Amino acid sequence: RKEVEQDPGPFNVPEGATVAFNCTYSNSASQSFFWYRQDCRKEPKLLMSVYSSGNEDGRFTAQLNRASQYISLLIRDSKLSDSATYLCVVRDGGSYIPTFGRGTSLIVHP
Amino acid sequence: GAGVSQTPSNKVTEKGKYVELRCDPISGHTALYWYRQSLGQGPEFLIYFQGTGAADDSGLPNDRFFAVRPEGSVSTLKIQRTERGDSAVYLCASSHPLRGSTWEGRVEKLFFGSGTQLSVL
């Protein structure tokens, strides 16, 4: 079983739509959680950290469910520029190594 | 420079050859990571340096892969007897060091270079 699992998609949505991605992780001792964004042929960049209480940054909302071991990313009012791959990243407590999921592809069309 | 620099950006080699990939991290970042990414997959961990020493090399797939960071700054990933299956994008990332349970009070964040696309023919 993979440590971090994501639906690869692609998710095809029209501009203005709301879209949500989930990511599950296998280690209950995981400590830190993140969403990274990766544009085509570019390097990953941190989108947002995911806190236990949930957090919001503009149109983006991230949530953590420790009991069910998943994190989610909600994007409201999708823009064409949101088209990218969204990588779920988890770091276990006591480890220095962030583990990446395979990513979920989002395509926002006019 | 302002960001993580990786050279070359593209490397084409023949099966069986030796290659070196270079990473120049952000100044002051003592933590350095190598990942590799195949098409349609997420970055896969290879090795982690804290300063000059390899603190975790559990991701290196076999003994053809080796990495060094002799002065705690620039790192070189070395691949011997390359195979077609080694073809991928090799990503380097740096960050502030993790101390205990906090990232020295800063946001826990990896800063990636733009990667080296390795093609083994």
Side-chain angles (χ1 to χ4, degrees), chain B residues 30-55:
Chain B
T30 58
L32 185 146
Y33 302 78
W34 283 98
Y35 287 81
R36 75 175 173 182
Q37 186 173 26
S38 301
L39 200 61
Q41 301 298 317
E44 173 195 17
F45 168 72
L46 296 176
I47 187 168
Y48 161 68
F49 287 90
Q50 181 54 51
T52 60

Short mmCIF file of all heavy atoms in Angstrom, two decimals, chain B residues 30-55:
data_model
loop_
_atom_site.label_atom_id
_atom_site.label_comp_id
_atom_site.label_asym_id
_atom_site.label_seq_id
_atom_site.Cartn_x
_atom_site.Cartn_y
_atom_site.Cartn_z
N THR B 30 20.65 24.36 5.23
CA THR B 30 21.53 23.23 5.51
C THR B 30 20.89 21.90 5.12
O THR B 30 21.58 20.90 4.99
CB THR B 30 21.90 23.19 7.00
OG1 THR B 30 20.70 23.11 7.77
CG2 THR B 30 22.66 24.45 7.39
N ALA B 31 19.59 21.87 4.96
CA ALA B 31 18.91 20.64 4.55
C ALA B 31 18.79 20.60 3.04
O ALA B 31 18.38 21.57 2.42
CB ALA B 31 17.52 20.56 5.19
N LEU B 32 19.15 19.44 2.45
CA LEU B 32 19.11 19.30 0.99
C LEU B 32 18.57 17.92 0.66
O LEU B 32 18.97 16.92 1.27
CB LEU B 32 20.51 19.48 0.39
CG LEU B 32 20.61 19.47 -1.14
CD1 LEU B 32 21.71 20.43 -1.60
CD2 LEU B 32 20.83 18.09 -1.70
N TYR B 33 17.67 17.87 -0.30
CA TYR B 33 17.00 16.62 -0.70
C TYR B 33 17.17 16.41 -2.20
O TYR B 33 17.13 17.36 -2.97
CB TYR B 33 15.49 16.70 -0.44
CG TYR B 33 15.06 16.98 0.98
CD1 TYR B 33 15.12 18.26 1.52
CD2 TYR B 33 14.57 15.94 1.78
CE1 TYR B 33 14.71 18.51 2.82
CE2 TYR B 33 14.15 16.19 3.08
CZ TYR B 33 14.22 17.48 3.59
OH TYR B 33 13.80 17.71 4.88
N TRP B 34 17.30 15.15 -2.57
CA TRP B 34 17.19 14.75 -3.97
C TRP B 34 15.94 13.88 -4.11
O TRP B 34 15.71 12.96 -3.32
CB TRP B 34 18.40 13.95 -4.42
CG TRP B 34 19.62 14.75 -4.70
CD1 TRP B 34 20.69 14.95 -3.87
CD2 TRP B 34 19.95 15.44 -5.92
NE1 TRP B 34 21.65 15.73 -4.50
CE2 TRP B 34 21.21 16.04 -5.75
CE3 TRP B 34 19.29 15.60 -7.13
CZ2 TRP B 34 21.83 16.79 -6.75
CZ3 TRP B 34 19.90 16.35 -8.12
CH2 TRP B 34 21.15 16.93 -7.93
N TYR B 35 15.16 14.19 -5.13
CA TYR B 35 14.00 13.39 -5.52
C TYR B 35 14.12 13.10 -7.00
O TYR B 35 14.83 13.82 -7.73
CB TYR B 35 12.69 14.15 -5.30
CG TYR B 35 12.24 14.33 -3.87
CD1 TYR B 35 12.76 15.33 -3.05
CD2 TYR B 35 11.25 13.50 -3.32
CE1 TYR B 35 12.31 15.50 -1.74
CE2 TYR B 35 10.80 13.66 -2.02
CZ TYR B 35 11.34 14.66 -1.24
OH TYR B 35 10.90 14.82 0.06
N ARG B 36 13.43 12.08 -7.47
CA ARG B 36 13.30 11.93 -8.91
C ARG B 36 11.82 11.73 -9.24
O ARG B 36 11.06 11.18 -8.43
CB ARG B 36 14.13 10.78 -9.47
CG ARG B 36 13.64 9.39 -9.21
CD ARG B 36 14.52 8.39 -9.93
NE ARG B 36 14.16 7.03 -9.55
CZ ARG B 36 14.79 5.94 -10.00
NH1 ARG B 36 15.82 6.07 -10.84
NH2 ARG B 36 14.41 4.75 -9.62
N GLN B 37 11.45 12.22 -10.41
CA GLN B 37 10.05 12.21 -10.80
C GLN B 37 9.91 11.66 -12.21
O GLN B 37 10.49 12.20 -13.15
CB GLN B 37 9.46 13.62 -10.71
CG GLN B 37 7.97 13.68 -10.95
CD GLN B 37 7.39 15.05 -10.69
OE1 GLN B 37 8.08 16.07 -10.79
NE2 GLN B 37 6.10 15.12 -10.35
N SER B 38 9.12 10.59 -12.32
CA SER B 38 8.81 10.02 -13.62
C SER B 38 7.48 10.59 -14.08
O SER B 38 6.68 11.08 -13.27
CB SER B 38 8.74 8.50 -13.53
OG SER B 38 9.98 7.98 -13.08
N LEU B 39 7.23 10.51 -15.36
CA LEU B 39 6.02 11.08 -15.95
C LEU B 39 4.77 10.51 -15.29
O LEU B 39 4.63 9.30 -15.13
CB LEU B 39 6.00 10.78 -17.45
CG LEU B 39 5.10 11.66 -18.30
CD1 LEU B 39 5.53 13.11 -18.21
CD2 LEU B 39 5.13 11.18 -19.75
N GLY B 40 3.90 11.40 -14.85
CA GLY B 40 2.63 10.96 -14.25
C GLY B 40 2.74 10.53 -12.80
O GLY B 40 1.75 10.06 -12.22
N GLN B 41 3.92 10.66 -12.22
CA GLN B 41 4.13 10.27 -10.82
C GLN B 41 4.56 11.47 -10.00
O GLN B 41 4.99 12.49 -10.53
CB GLN B 41 5.22 9.19 -10.75
CG GLN B 41 4.91 7.94 -11.54
CD GLN B 41 3.66 7.23 -11.05
OE1 GLN B 41 3.44 7.09 -9.85
NE2 GLN B 41 2.81 6.81 -11.97
N GLY B 42 4.43 11.32 -8.69
CA GLY B 42 4.93 12.37 -7.80
C GLY B 42 6.43 12.20 -7.58
O GLY B 42 7.01 11.17 -7.93
N PRO B 43 7.07 13.21 -7.01
CA PRO B 43 8.49 13.08 -6.69
C PRO B 43 8.75 11.93 -5.72
O PRO B 43 8.02 11.78 -4.73
CB PRO B 43 8.82 14.43 -6.06
CG PRO B 43 7.81 15.38 -6.62
CD PRO B 43 6.56 14.56 -6.74
N GLU B 44 9.76 11.14 -6.02
CA GLU B 44 10.14 9.98 -5.22
C GLU B 44 11.45 10.29 -4.49
O GLU B 44 12.45 10.64 -5.14
CB GLU B 44 10.30 8.77 -6.15
CG GLU B 44 10.84 7.52 -5.51
CD GLU B 44 11.31 6.51 -6.55
OE1 GLU B 44 11.51 6.88 -7.73
OE2 GLU B 44 11.51 5.34 -6.17
N PHE B 45 11.45 10.16 -3.18
CA PHE B 45 12.62 10.51 -2.37
C PHE B 45 13.82 9.63 -2.70
O PHE B 45 13.69 8.42 -2.85
CB PHE B 45 12.27 10.37 -0.89
CG PHE B 45 13.46 10.41 0.02
CD1 PHE B 45 14.13 11.60 0.24
CD2 PHE B 45 13.93 9.27 0.66
CE1 PHE B 45 15.24 11.66 1.08
CE2 PHE B 45 15.02 9.31 1.50
CZ PHE B 45 15.67 10.52 1.70
N LEU B 46 15.00 10.26 -2.79
CA LEU B 46 16.24 9.52 -2.99
C LEU B 46 17.16 9.62 -1.77
O LEU B 46 17.53 8.61 -1.18
CB LEU B 46 16.98 10.05 -4.22
CG LEU B 46 16.28 9.87 -5.58
CD1 LEU B 46 17.09 10.53 -6.68
CD2 LEU B 46 16.06 8.40 -5.88
N ILE B 47 17.53 10.86 -1.39
CA ILE B 47 18.52 11.03 -0.33
C ILE B 47 18.35 12.40 0.30
O ILE B 47 17.90 13.34 -0.36
CB ILE B 47 19.95 10.86 -0.90
CG1 ILE B 47 21.00 10.87 0.21
CG2 ILE B 47 20.26 11.90 -1.97
CD1 ILE B 47 22.40 10.42 -0.26
N TYR B 48 18.69 12.48 1.59
CA TYR B 48 18.57 13.72 2.36
C TYR B 48 19.89 14.00 3.04
O TYR B 48 20.49 13.13 3.67
CB TYR B 48 17.45 13.55 3.39
CG TYR B 48 17.49 14.52 4.55
CD1 TYR B 48 17.23 15.87 4.36
CD2 TYR B 48 17.74 14.07 5.85
CE1 TYR B 48 17.25 16.76 5.43
CE2 TYR B 48 17.75 14.96 6.92
CZ TYR B 48 17.50 16.29 6.71
OH TYR B 48 17.50 17.17 7.76
N PHE B 49 20.36 15.25 2.91
CA PHE B 49 21.57 15.72 3.59
C PHE B 49 21.20 16.74 4.65
O PHE B 49 20.39 17.63 4.41
CB PHE B 49 22.52 16.41 2.59
CG PHE B 49 23.22 15.48 1.66
CD1 PHE B 49 22.64 15.16 0.44
CD2 PHE B 49 24.46 14.95 1.97
CE1 PHE B 49 23.29 14.31 -0.45
CE2 PHE B 49 25.12 14.10 1.10
CZ PHE B 49 24.53 13.78 -0.11
N GLN B 50 21.83 16.63 5.80
CA GLN B 50 21.80 17.68 6.80
C GLN B 50 23.26 18.12 6.95
O GLN B 50 24.06 17.41 7.56
CB GLN B 50 21.21 17.18 8.12
CG GLN B 50 21.14 18.23 9.19
CD GLN B 50 20.42 19.48 8.75
OE1 GLN B 50 19.30 19.43 8.23
NE2 GLN B 50 21.04 20.63 8.93
N GLY B 51 23.57 19.26 6.39
CA GLY B 51 24.97 19.68 6.35
C GLY B 51 25.73 18.86 5.33
O GLY B 51 25.27 18.65 4.21
N THR B 52 26.87 18.34 5.73
CA THR B 52 27.71 17.58 4.80
C THR B 52 27.36 16.10 4.74
O THR B 52 27.71 15.42 3.79
CB THR B 52 29.19 17.70 5.20
OG1 THR B 52 29.36 17.18 6.52
CG2 THR B 52 29.66 19.14 5.17
N GLY B 53 26.67 15.62 5.76
CA GLY B 53 26.43 14.19 5.84
C GLY B 53 25.09 13.76 5.28
O GLY B 53 24.10 14.48 5.39
N ALA B 54 25.09 12.57 4.69
CA ALA B 54 23.83 12.01 4.20
C ALA B 54 23.09 11.42 5.40
O ALA B 54 23.45 10.37 5.92
CB ALA B 54 24.09 10.93 3.16
N ALA B 55 22.06 12.13 5.86
CA ALA B 55 21.32 11.70 7.04
C ALA B 55 20.37 10.54 6.72
O ALA B 55 20.02 9.77 7.62
CB ALA B 55 20.54 12.87 7.62
#
